[in-house]
Amino acid sequence: VAVTLIRGNAYQEAIAFLKNQDDRSVKDEYNLGLAFEAIGNKQMARKHYQLAFKKEDKNQELKDALRRTKK
């Protein structure tokens, strides 16, 4: 659901949907990061990328996202 919302540029809806998930996966955290990054909130994007990275530290996509949102 979240990916479809993000693809449709419905970032706020994707954020609301994902924030209501009790047990978010690495992909959910990554998608939250993408949605926050898309609306210009790099700080929140980075927070969610970091949460995903803690669970999957070999993931190049996450490394790239963290690099992209670095201050």
Side-chain angles (χ1 to χ4, degrees):
V1 173
V3 173
T4 302
L5 290 169
I6 290 169
R7 285 186 183 149
N9 297 329
Y11 305 117
Q12 296 291 356
E13 291 86 346
I15 290 167
F17 175 80
L18 288 166
K19 282 196 162 254
N20 284 325
Q21 301 299 313
D22 288 329
D23 190 29
R24 290 193 293 266
S25 68
V26 169
K27 197 66 176 168
D28 290 338
E29 293 293 354
Y30 176 73
N31 285 328
L32 257 173
L34 284 178
F36 276 114
E37 190 175 358
I39 63 170
N41 190 335
K42 282 191 174 184
Q43 183 179 1
M44 285 301 290
R46 186 168 178 78
K47 173 187 169 188
H48 290 286
Y49 293 148
Q50 286 172 327
L51 289 170
F53 187 73
K54 284 181 185 177
K55 296 178 183 177
E56 206 174 284
D57 65 355
K58 303 275 190 264
N59 186 317
Q60 187 61 48
E61 195 172 35
L62 294 171
K63 289 178 185 178
D64 293 342
L66 286 168
R67 198 172 299 117
R68 210 174 42 244
T69 56
K70 199 174 184 179
K71 287 184 178 181

